[in-house]
């Protein structure tokens, strides 16, 4: 009897072992707000030896794509659907349409929900960001444990301090990093915490259920703003970026060609900013040094994860995939002083926080020991109590050689590295594949390799069919068969069919057509040359958009009841109005009466909006400028006339057809036509004396004023 029993057990274990050997563990690692060329094996100068090693012993995709923004990317990665199909077409806001609910819906399944019934254990460490229920008091229906994960440590929201992250959760319990009984490092740093918990999940898996495969999702927040890193990692990069934007882009471009990532005929896109015009050079260098340190720290963590797989004997049959959630980020958050504060006081000026108190803000008001959070030029990024983004110039470097950034669906916004490492399952080492791929393919790959069943219905809800294709053929040096790939974010739209890509800025922007085989950097628009192809691809996008919950475009912007009804605004230097409280300048004339301090010669006077839509008035060496952006197109009206010291009262007359005049007294001192008025409500704030969000003009983010804006009065006219 005992012999028969042990024989049965032996046969069963052999059977389980055979199944286990055929089905790999799957580890997906994603970083945040990084550009295509930042890591070493994709042309960057930042030290990433562990990612480089995975690439040298695995496969690199040269034309892989994300969605251009953090939360839509996460929704798409987790579900294998386009983001609107999963309910996350924009941010964590419910705009009243199925594609824009700001929450994963019940017509999708996560990778964890599909792999768990197939016998996989499921773990996650890091950033979730696919639900509007982010606070400690929130409903948890869309938190990781409710969407298929067995173990979770991380943040539910999209951003926050690396020293004191908000919405920090273990399993389903909100926690303070300063009073966590299970994790008490000498110095808390969120990147390290994500790594340490991922490593622990791997180690515990071996002890608890080594006979079963596992799925691990590691979602780092590096290198999303704020620029926070450890001193030892920052010091390593001192002087590394002193050559400035253009030189570093040229060096990356050359390395990328040498690696084989770029064809020689693909031109380097234009520089976004000029290094010789940077006013706060040491500060901007520090921002990039901290950014590099953040990437370096993440790479160290990835090395620890790989080491844990190796130490537990699981590396050979584990598929590790690394990618990024969007392109480099040109947002200017924190690049001007916050509330006039730019220098750290010697002693704390605010009450200390209790260790067990939860951090409740994306941008903390203070450090836990009572120092206010500082922003702006001169505040050296890195330590706790600072909150700064690295800016458009460095984002342009990160996105070498491409155009545009996070938010857009030109290549700079959506191109990502994808490194796939799986010794037991990938043919060849250190190879490149130029087959296009997309986040939607990750679920399909997991389902394929896990031999899982993707459901058609769950709890009475029909589940949308997968959109992606398994990457297994690429692992085996075979062709992936697909029709087309699609994108939409904030009205920016694109479709790629074979080598052809049709792309547009904004919901009413003109279509541009590029042959990516000849012109991956999108320099030569062929829409007029191939009008029939342009029309056919546009119709193809329209068909996709109708079936995938993309329409109506940008409902969160066009929902006018959420915007201010005021027509008169009285403001002063330092004032800022978020979109919902700012002047609704869509399709209307307005005037702005401005009073400046004497001697004002340089800097932004007033700005509203950012890199998609907006307007600003600014001075360069005493010369007045008016800038306008409509659907991303920048137009600047200039004058060579220098304001006299006594000319402190100005009046802007802005017409909805795009005609602009600025008066000093009765004299017209600037006049021009920007082509069109605002067709969409600017998303970024209205600011007096600065432009810290997405910037409107051709100046650097946070273009600091050398004077004071005493007052600005804006009056909106009735729509015609």
């Amino acid at each position: 009897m005992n012999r028969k029993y042990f024989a049965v057990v032996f046969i069963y274990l052999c059977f389980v072992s055979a199944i286990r050997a055929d089905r790999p563990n799957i580890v997906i690692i994603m970083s945040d707000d990084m550009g295509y060329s930042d890591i070493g094996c994709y042309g960057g100068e930042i030290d990433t030896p562990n990612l480089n090693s995975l690439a040298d012993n695995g496969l690199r995709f040269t034309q892989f794509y994300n969605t251009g923004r953090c939360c839509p990317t996460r929704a798409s990665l987790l579900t294998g659907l386009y983001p609107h199909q999963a309910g996350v077409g924009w941010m964590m806001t419910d705009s009243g349409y199925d594609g824009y609910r700001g929450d994963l819906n019940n017509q999708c399944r996560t990778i964890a929900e599909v792999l768990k019934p197939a016998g996989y254990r499921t773990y996650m460490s890091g950033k979730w960001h696919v639900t509007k229920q982010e606070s400690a008091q929130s409903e948890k229906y869309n938190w990781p444990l409710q969407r298929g994960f067995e173990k979770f440590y991380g943040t539910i929201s999209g951003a926050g301090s690396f020293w004191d992250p908000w919405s920090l959760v273990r399993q389903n319990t909100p926690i303070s990093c300063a009073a966590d009984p299970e994790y008490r490092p000498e110095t808390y740093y969120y990147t390290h915490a994500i790594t340490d918990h991922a490593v622990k999940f791997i180690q515990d898996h071996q002890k608890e259920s080594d006979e079963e495969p596992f799925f691990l999702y590691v979602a780092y927040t590096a290198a999303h703003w704020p620029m926070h890193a450890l001193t030892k990692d920052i010091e390593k990069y001192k002087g590394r970026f002193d050559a400035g934007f253009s030189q570093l882009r040229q060096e990356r471009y050359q390395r990328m060609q040498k690696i084989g990532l770029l064809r020689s005929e693909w031109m380097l896109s234009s520089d976004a900013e000029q290094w010789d015009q940077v006013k706060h050079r040491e500060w901007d260098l520090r921002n990039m040094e901290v950014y590099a340190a953040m990437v370096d720290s993440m790479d160290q963590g990835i090395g620890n994860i790989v080491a844990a797989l190796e130490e537990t004997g699981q590396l050979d049959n584990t598929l590790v995939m690394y990618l990024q959630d969007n392109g480099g980020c040109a947002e200017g958050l924190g690049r001007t002083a916050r509330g006039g504060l730019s220098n750290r006081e010697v002693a704390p000026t605010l009450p200390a926080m209790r260790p067990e108190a939860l951090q409740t803000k994306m941008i903390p008001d203070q450090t836990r020991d009572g120092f206010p959070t500082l922003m702006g030029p001169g505040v050296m990024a890195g330590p706790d109590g600072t909150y700064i983004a690295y800016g458009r110039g460095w984002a342009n470097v990160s996105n070498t050689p491409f155009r545009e950034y996070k938010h857009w669906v030109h290549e700079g916004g959506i191109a990502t590295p994808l490194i796939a490492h799986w010794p037991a399952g990938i043919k060849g080492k250190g190879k490149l594949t130029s087959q296009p791929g997309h986040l939607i393919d990750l679920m399909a790959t997991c389902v394929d390799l896990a031999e899982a069943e993707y459901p058609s219905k769950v709890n009475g809800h029909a589940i949308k069919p997968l959109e992606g294709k398994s990457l297994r053929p690429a692992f085996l040096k075979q062709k992936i068969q697909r029709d087309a790939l699609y994108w939409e974010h904030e009205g920016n739209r694109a479709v790629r069919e074979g080598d052809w890509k049709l792309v547009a800025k904004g919901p009413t922007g003109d279509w541009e057509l590029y042959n990516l085989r000849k012109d991956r950097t999108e320099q030569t628009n062929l829409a007029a040359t191939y009008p029939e192809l342009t029309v056919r691809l546009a119709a193809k996008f329209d068909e996709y958009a109708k079936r995938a919950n993309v329409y109506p475009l940008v409902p969160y912007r066009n929902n006018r009841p959420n915007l201010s009804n005021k027509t008169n605004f009285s403001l002063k230097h330092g004032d800022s109005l978020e979109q919902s409280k700012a002047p609704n300048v869509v399709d209307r004339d307005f005037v702005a009466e401005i009073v400046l301090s004497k001697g004002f010669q340089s800097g932004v006077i007033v700005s509203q909006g950012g890199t998609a839509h907006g307007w600003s008035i600014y001075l360069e060496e005493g010369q007045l400028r008016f800038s306008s952006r409509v659907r991303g197109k920048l137009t600047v009206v200039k004058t060579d006339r220098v304001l006299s010291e006594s000319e402190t009262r100005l009046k802007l007359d802005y017409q909805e057809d795009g005609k602009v005049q600025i008066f000093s007294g009765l004299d017209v001192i600037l006049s021009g036509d920007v082509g069109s008025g605002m067709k969409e409500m600017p998303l970024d704030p209205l600011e007096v004396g600065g432009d810290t969000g997405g910037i409107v003009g051709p100046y650097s983010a946070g273009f600091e004023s050398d004077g004071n804006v005493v007052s600005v009065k804006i009056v909106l006219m009735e729509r015609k």
Side-chain angles (χ1 to χ4, degrees):
M1 187 72 175
N2 287 340
R3 288 180 181 177
K4 289 183 179 179
Y5 171 78
F6 285 118
V8 170
V9 170
F10 177 75
I11 292 170
Y12 170 76
L13 290 175
C14 290
F15 176 72
V16 170
S17 178
I19 293 176
R20 176 71 178 82
D22 289 338
R23 300 197 301 167
N25 304 311
I26 301 170
V27 179
I28 296 178
I29 302 172
M30 186 159 67
S31 65
D32 201 342
D33 275 18
M34 286 175 55
Y36 184 77
S37 66
D38 275 330
I39 61 177
C41 52
Y42 278 76
E45 62 289 302
I46 301 172
D47 290 335
T48 55
N50 295 295
L51 284 170
N52 297 352
S53 178
L54 291 174
D56 289 342
N57 292 283
L59 179 67
R60 270 172 291 176
F61 287 73
T62 66
Q63 299 194 48
F64 206 79
Y65 291 107
N66 50 48
T67 72
R69 187 67 170 275
C70 44
C71 34
T73 279
R74 289 158 212 280
S76 193
L77 180 155
L78 282 165
T79 66
L81 304 175
Y82 287 106
H84 307 77
Q85 294 173 305
V88 188
W90 189 53
M91 297 294 287
M92 302 296 95
T93 301
D94 189 339
S95 299
Y97 295 91
D98 286 347
Y100 303 92
R101 294 294 183 184
D103 249 326
L104 286 185
N105 59 35
N106 56 16
Q107 287 86 53
C108 67
R109 295 279 90 186
T110 70
I111 295 173
E113 287 174 310
V114 175
L115 265 55
K116 193 174 180 180
Y120 274 69
R121 304 297 302 275
T122 55
Y123 315 121
M124 180 183 171
S125 182
K127 171 177 168 177
W128 184 236
H129 205 204
V130 287
T131 178
K132 60 192 175 188
Q133 302 289 344
E134 298 177 330
S135 73
Q137 293 76 38
S138 293
E139 298 180 52
K140 300 179 174 65
Y141 57 83
N142 257 338
W143 284 21
L145 266 61
Q146 283 66 41
R147 296 306 302 238
F149 289 94
E150 299 173 60
K151 296 183 180 181
F152 171 68
Y153 173 90
T155 43
I156 302 298
S157 66
S161 168
F162 285 72
W163 306 112
D164 189 11
W166 89 283
S167 73
L168 186 64
V169 167
R170 173 174 288 105
Q171 297 298 85
N172 269 341
T173 304
I175 54 175
S176 162
C177 68
D180 182 354
E182 296 186 35
Y183 182 69
R184 299 301 297 270
E186 185 175 339
T187 299
Y188 184 92
Y189 180 61
Y190 189 34
T191 300
H192 289 178
I194 292 171
T195 295
D196 292 345
H197 283 80
V199 167
K200 188 175 188 301
F201 294 157
I202 293 169
Q203 294 170 339
D204 288 349
H205 179 85
Q206 184 192 35
K207 299 171 188 174
E208 298 168 0
S209 49
D210 189 41
E211 73 283 358
E212 298 171 312
F214 67 82
F215 169 62
L216 170 62
Y217 175 33
V218 184
Y220 286 104
T221 53
H224 194 294
W225 46 255
M227 302 296 100
H228 282 167
L230 277 73
T231 300
K232 68 177 181 63
D233 293 328
I234 300 170
E235 289 175 346
K236 179 178 178 180
Y237 290 94
K238 185 66 177 175
R240 182 75 65 92
F241 307 104
D242 287 4
F245 308 138
S246 183
Q247 181 63 33
L248 288 166
R249 293 186 80 232
Q250 288 287 343
E251 291 172 4
R252 288 192 181 194
Y253 180 62
Q254 292 167 12
R255 282 194 296 269
M256 295 170 84
Q257 289 184 321
K258 187 175 181 180
I259 291 170
L261 296 167
L262 306 181
R263 296 165 64 99
S264 59
E265 62 264 38
W266 294 349
M267 297 170 58
L268 178 63
S269 63
S270 300
D271 294 340
E273 295 190 359
Q274 302 302 312
W275 187 240
D276 60 4
Q277 295 178 14
V278 173
K279 289 191 173 183
H280 306 282
R281 187 167 294 185
E282 291 303 313
W283 177 69
D284 250 327
L285 284 170
R286 169 74 173 202
N287 291 332
M288 185 59 188
E289 289 161 7
V290 177
Y291 177 89
M294 296 168 77
V295 176
D296 191 311
S297 178
M298 178 192 68
D299 183 79
Q300 295 170 40
I302 292 170
N304 292 343
I305 292 170
V306 172
L309 292 169
E310 198 163 21
E311 289 163 4
T312 55
Q314 299 178 102
L315 183 61
D316 282 352
N317 198 34
T318 297
L319 169 61
V320 178
M321 293 185 284
Y322 165 84
L323 72 162
Q324 297 162 186
D325 70 342
N326 46 247
C329 175
E331 295 164 354
L333 185 66
R335 293 181 64 82
T336 59
R338 183 191 200 194
L341 292 172
S342 60
N343 294 303
R344 174 57 49 86
E345 300 290 337
V346 175
T349 58
L350 299 168
M353 294 173 63
R354 293 178 292 107
E356 65 275 14
L358 299 180
Q359 179 55 258
T360 60
K361 293 187 177 181
M362 182 185 76
I363 305 176
D365 292 327
Q366 64 174 84
T367 62
R368 286 193 170 262
D369 54 358
F371 289 97
T373 298
L374 304 181
M375 301 177 181
V379 177
M380 291 302 181
D384 192 9
T386 63
Y387 213 96
I388 299 161
Y390 76 155
R392 184 175 65 168
W394 293 122
N396 189 216
V397 174
S398 289
N399 292 339
T400 303
F402 302 128
R403 292 171 53 191
E404 305 304 342
Y405 317 90
K406 170 184 177 180
H407 298 268
W408 283 271
V409 296
H410 285 75
E411 296 290 286
I414 58 176
T416 172
L418 176 69
I419 300 170
H421 180 276
W422 180 20
I426 292 178
K427 285 189 175 182
K429 291 183 177 181
K431 302 296 184 180
L432 304 177
T433 178
S434 60
Q435 294 195 64
H438 189 284
L439 289 159
I440 55 176
D441 299 333
L442 299 187
M443 167 73 97
T445 304
C446 291
V447 170
D448 179 11
L449 300 180
E451 300 173 8
E453 181 180 351
Y454 183 82
S456 59
K457 184 177 287 188
V458 173
N459 296 328
H461 298 290
I463 303 301
K464 293 180 183 296
L466 287 178
E467 293 280 350
K469 301 290 185 181
S470 174
L471 299 176
R472 188 201 288 257
F475 299 164
L476 301 175
K477 300 182 179 179
Q478 298 169 4
K479 182 76 172 175
I480 299 171
Q481 300 297 326
R482 73 168 80 242
D483 175 39
L485 295 170
Y486 302 92
W487 295 265
E488 189 283 333
H489 185 64
E490 296 181 339
N492 304 310
R493 299 152 286 140
V495 53
R496 175 170 178 169
E497 181 186 75
D499 293 328
W500 291 100
K501 180 181 175 187
L502 193 70
V503 59
K505 284 185 177 182
T508 57
D510 294 334
W511 286 110
E512 305 165 19
L513 180 68
Y514 300 98
N515 184 319
L516 297 189
R517 181 172 178 79
K518 298 178 180 179
D519 180 23
R520 177 87 194 276
T521 56
E522 300 169 310
Q523 300 300 298
T524 304
N525 180 6
L526 300 174
T529 307
Y530 298 98
E532 292 182 0
L533 178 59
T534 299
V535 170
R536 185 177 69 78
L537 290 178
K540 196 164 190 170
F541 174 86
D542 184 61
E543 182 181 342
Y544 151 77
K546 288 175 180 175
R547 74 170 176 82
N549 297 336
V550 173
Y551 291 142
L553 296 178
V554 294
Y556 41 87
R557 288 187 186 175
N558 298 329
N559 191 358
R560 295 230 174 124
N562 292 328
L563 301 177
S564 173
N565 293 319
K566 287 180 61 177
T567 57
N568 288 265
F569 300 81
S570 295
L571 306 161
K572 63 182 183 308
H573 199 104
D575 283 348
S576 177
L577 298 177
E578 62 186 38
Q579 185 195 41
S580 63
K581 298 178 181 177
N584 186 349
V585 293
V586 176
D587 293 331
R588 71 198 310 170
D589 304 344
F590 65 91
V591 297
E593 297 180 356
I594 299 163
V595 179
L596 304 177
S597 62
K598 286 187 176 181
F600 197 135
Q601 291 289 296
S602 180
V604 175
I605 297 170
V606 59
S607 66
Q608 181 181 1
T611 50
H613 285 80
W615 62 277
S616 72
I617 305 172
Y618 61 101
L619 284 164
E620 285 184 343
E621 298 180 352
Q623 297 173 347
L624 204 59
R625 308 281 188 259
F626 180 89
S627 67
S628 168
R629 284 192 191 265
V630 178
R631 298 191 293 268
K633 181 182 178 182
L634 173 65
T635 306
V636 180
V637 179
K638 299 182 177 182
T639 178
D640 294 333
R641 183 181 182 281
V642 177
L643 286 181
S644 68
E645 188 171 335
S646 62
E647 289 181 299
T648 59
R649 293 181 176 272
L650 308 174
K651 180 180 178 180
L652 165 70
D653 184 354
Y654 179 99
Q655 301 293 315
E656 60 90 16
D657 62 0
K659 293 182 174 58
V660 175
Q661 289 184 313
I662 297 181
F663 297 82
S664 174
L666 298 176
D667 297 330
V668 177
I669 59 174
L670 182 145
S671 181
D673 189 339
V674 296
S676 170
M678 293 294 110
K679 298 304 178 187
E680 295 177 35
M681 181 63 178
L683 183 62
D684 294 83
L686 181 145
E687 299 178 67
V688 180
D691 189 356
T692 64
I695 56 178
V696 179
Y699 38 76
S700 299
F703 185 28
E704 190 176 5
S705 302
D706 62 3
N708 184 55
V709 183
V710 178
S711 66
V712 175
K713 294 182 179 179
I714 298 174
V715 179
L716 304 177
M717 306 304 173
E718 291 295 326
R719 287 191 174 89
K720 298 174 182 177

